[in-house]
Amino acid sequence: MGYYEIRKSSKDTPQPWYFVLRAANHEIIAVSEMYASKQGAENGIASVRVNAPSTTVYDRS
């Protein structure tokens, strides 16, 4: 089962918080947008958990 990591960028930016989604083998699957607060990143994770199972993937390549 995969897991999320909340991270804070080392760069001086007004939106330093983000999360990564990792697979069970620890490879990064996705990286989020940047958030102004840690709570924002946590809310982003909650949104992915709710919405991702029903999301359709379109391959436009």
Side-chain angles (χ1 to χ4, degrees):
M1 182 189 248
Y3 60 95
Y4 297 89
E5 292 179 350
I6 295 178
R7 297 181 176 182
K8 187 173 184 183
S9 174
S10 59
K11 296 179 183 179
D12 185 23
T13 176
Q15 295 182 309
W17 295 96
Y18 65 103
F19 65 88
V20 296
L21 173 56
R22 290 188 175 263
N25 65 358
H26 312 293
E27 288 187 39
I28 294 176
I29 298 171
V31 179
S32 75
E33 64 182 311
M34 303 300 284
Y35 297 92
S37 67
K38 186 175 181 181
Q39 181 64 48
E42 291 170 347
N43 291 343
I45 290 170
S47 177
V48 170
R49 285 181 169 162
V50 169
N51 295 304
S54 63
T55 301
T56 302
V57 176
Y58 297 99
D59 184 354
R60 307 263 187 213
S61 55

